[in-house]
Amino acid sequence: METTLKSEKKEVKISFDAPFVIIGEKINPTGRKKLAAALTEGDDDYVRQLAISQVEAGADILDVNVGVPGLDEVAVLPKVARLVSEVVEAPLCLDSANHKALAAALADLPGKPLVNSVNGEEKSLGAVLPVVKEFGVSVIGLTMDDSGIPNDAETRVAIAEKILERAARLGIPANDVVIDPLVLTVGADSMAAAITLQTIQLLRQEFSVNINLGASNVSFGLPDRHTVNQAFLSLAMGVGATCAITDPIKLASTIRATDLLMGRDTYGARYIGYWREHQPPKEAA
Ligand code: THG
């Protein structure tokens, strides 16, 4: 199963046989006061800098979320998405539950971005899937519905199946639906990550669809989040996740190492290439 995303100049393929795809998480104002202020005040340079630094660190795609309370997403999402698309070649992942904001951004962007997201709620299916169909793009489907986030893998898989079916009915093929089995923090429930890992395994067995994770969610509220995030991503890749929204500055090296260990990096070329490019500059003698 291959999901293809495109910007004006670049194409990114997500599949189990290809290297894991890194979606940079940092253009998201949740918990980031400086970005929330930049989005409210129109400080475009700060957003540009977040885009460029993530691509330099190894992001293949950039998530764009402008969810600041009181901010008009229908106006701001297209503006910020356009701004980002002008400074990096990476395709974008438009992170909003507002179908009008998604449609406005899609109307204004070249290529084939990833819509983030639809879920199993009737209201979401009815509003977001027609937009995905209209623009011929791909979408992330979250395994939650009107009853919330199930705390068992089987019910999450059943919601994934419902999203895939509803997409198919509108003519959206399974390879344009990336399923997100949802990551909650192990700080609140020590079984949270295990349930997500089990959902990934079941999804791979039943549908062979591409699988995304909001990986940093796993460590909210814990000390040394970085270590927990690294361990979780490796485990998730091992059971079949194919892309993640994460911090490329902190996680790209772990991801490149895990691809190498999984036999997805011939001669270790990507691992070595990544290491070479990210060596700290040598001090002058
Ligand atoms: N699935 C999908 N999309 C998602 C999520 C998901 N989008 C949003 C979120 N979850 C994934 N993105 C983030 C972005 C940042 C953080 C976590 C998840 C994060 N931020 C730090 C904080 O809030 O403390 C701040 C980091 C910083 O300063 O760099 O942890 O699950 N489809």
Side-chain angles (χ1 to χ4, degrees), residues 157 170 223:
V157 171
L170 288 183

Side-chain angles (χ1 to χ4, degrees), residues 24-32 50 63 65 93 95 115-117 140-142 180 182-184 212-220 225 229 245-247 250:
E25 73 179 12
K26 285 179 162 285
I27 303 179
N28 182 336
T30 317
R32 296 175 63 102
L50 281 177
D63 192 70
N65 180 314
C93 173
D95 192 348
V115 165
N116 183 16
S117 56
I140 296 178
L142 306 180
D180 185 327
L182 292 171
V183 179
L184 299 175
N212 175 68
L213 301 163
S216 309
N217 299 349
V218 78
S219 60
F220 273 128
R225 293 184 61 184
N229 292 347
I245 302 167
T246 191
D247 178 351
K250 299 203 175 110

